[in-house]
Amino acid sequence: MDENLKPVYEAILEGDMGGAKNGVQAALAADVPAADLLHKALIPAMGEVGRLFEDGEYFVPEMLIAARAMKAGLEILKPLLVDSGVEPVGKVAIGTVKGDLHDIGKNLVAMMMEGAGFEIMDLGTDVSPEKFVEAAQNGADIIGLSALLTTTMPSMETTVKAIVEAGLRDQVKIIIGGAPVTVEYAQRIGADGYASDASQAASLAKGFMA
Ligand code: B1M
């Protein structure tokens, strides 16, 4: 791994928020592109945290502090990844579905969509189907649903159904994503699209508005 990326990767694994911030700043000062920091240090570090959790070497507190360190790094990268400043191409309401508290991936998708020119209504985490319906009523063009747990994926289907029942299905496009989600699942629950990562989600959203 690049010597500028390694301290960031390690700081996230150790849950060292200050180290992550300093590492990101130092790497940027050494002309490492923000996208490289994201894809070659921050995201792989969280992947490794997940592996360590699965192997029983990390527990929830370690996951939490690693997530906090990653978020601190992301905050610094955000202005560099989001370079919008033009008329919004559309409105996206995005949230992590009911019962699910994971928000790093969702935040990243929101960030990339903002960078692609969308206005973002960030509904947060543990978002009920009713809240998504409300967002559709309030003019969202696209509804983005994120889920990281196999146990919360069914909330995606419930949300799609709630939007149908509210008579709003023709007014919005629904995009879903998150580690356990698949394109087949998206088709099965009647979503309009699935994206495996944040930049794919932004391209998909742009395609819907074209
Ligand atoms: Co949790 N957790 N967690 N966790 N956690 C996972 C998801 C897990 C896979 C870990 C593991 O076992 N290997 C596992 C789920 C197993 C499963 O369901 N199959 C798990 C578990 C079990 C749990 C708890 C149940 C643990 C417990 O309490 N015993 C608990 C549940 C809490 C709840 O939500 N109710 C829990 C809690 C937590 C923390 C709070 C400690 C923390 C979250 C902090 C936070 O988000 N603020 C946490 C973390 C950090 C993780 C891991 C380690 C990292 C997730 C992450 O941020 N990844 C994760 C393991 C892993 O994923 N490898 C794990 C980085 C992020 C950039 O990637 O979120 O995948 P990701 O997002 C990607 C794509 O998925 C996609 O684009 C993003 C960027 O490219 N994407 C979309 C995401 N949303 C999208 C939406 C779209 C399109 C694309 O369209 C709208």
Side-chain angles (χ1 to χ4, degrees):
M1 183 178 290
D2 184 301
E3 61 177 27
N4 291 303
L5 299 175
K6 208 165 173 214
V8 178
Y9 179 87
E10 284 175 353
I12 293 174
L13 275 190
E14 286 159 17
D16 173 4
M17 190 163 75
K21 280 188 194 168
N22 293 340
V24 167
Q25 266 151 354
L28 290 173
D31 288 332
V32 175
D36 278 10
L37 271 156
L38 178 65
H39 294 293
K40 297 182 184 166
L42 273 71
I43 291 181
M46 286 313 285
E48 178 63 3
V49 170
R51 193 193 64 75
L52 291 166
F53 178 75
E54 253 170 54
D55 289 355
E57 286 184 52
Y58 271 20
F59 298 94
V60 173
E62 284 87 358
M63 276 209 291
L64 256 180
I65 56 169
R68 199 182 56 179
M70 170 153 181
K71 280 184 172 183
L74 262 185
E75 272 308 303
I76 301 171
L77 294 183
K78 185 174 174 183
L80 303 168
L81 296 169
V82 175
D83 182 20
S84 154
V86 284
E87 274 293 291
V89 292
K91 215 185 215 186
V92 178
I94 187 166
T96 310
V97 296
K98 194 168 170 59
D100 201 322
L101 301 175
H102 296 85
D103 69 352
I104 296 177
K106 181 267 296 171
N107 292 345
L108 211 45
V109 172
M111 217 183 265
M112 290 294 175
M113 287 187 170
E114 197 179 338
F118 285 93
E119 181 186 337
I120 304 295
M121 298 160 76
D122 189 344
L123 306 179
T125 58
D126 190 18
V127 181
S128 66
E130 296 75 28
K131 279 264 158 59
F132 283 110
V133 167
E134 226 172 82
Q137 283 161 342
N138 289 334
D141 302 297
I142 295 173
I143 301 285
L145 308 177
S146 177
L148 263 287
L149 299 171
T150 43
T151 49
T152 55
M153 278 170 66
S155 295
M156 294 181 144
E157 186 170 15
T158 315
T159 304
V160 173
K161 279 188 182 148
I163 292 170
V164 171
E165 279 159 19
L168 297 163
R169 188 65 188 89
D170 295 341
Q171 291 176 33
V172 291
K173 294 286 185 194
I174 303 173
I175 299 180
I176 70 170
V181 181
T182 60
V183 66
E184 291 77 21
Y185 183 70
Q187 285 161 355
R188 189 158 71 68
I189 67 168
D192 297 294
Y194 157 80
S196 64
D197 62 33
S199 43
Q200 218 186 77
S203 314
L204 193 63
K206 266 176 128 173
F208 283 140
M209 298 310 292

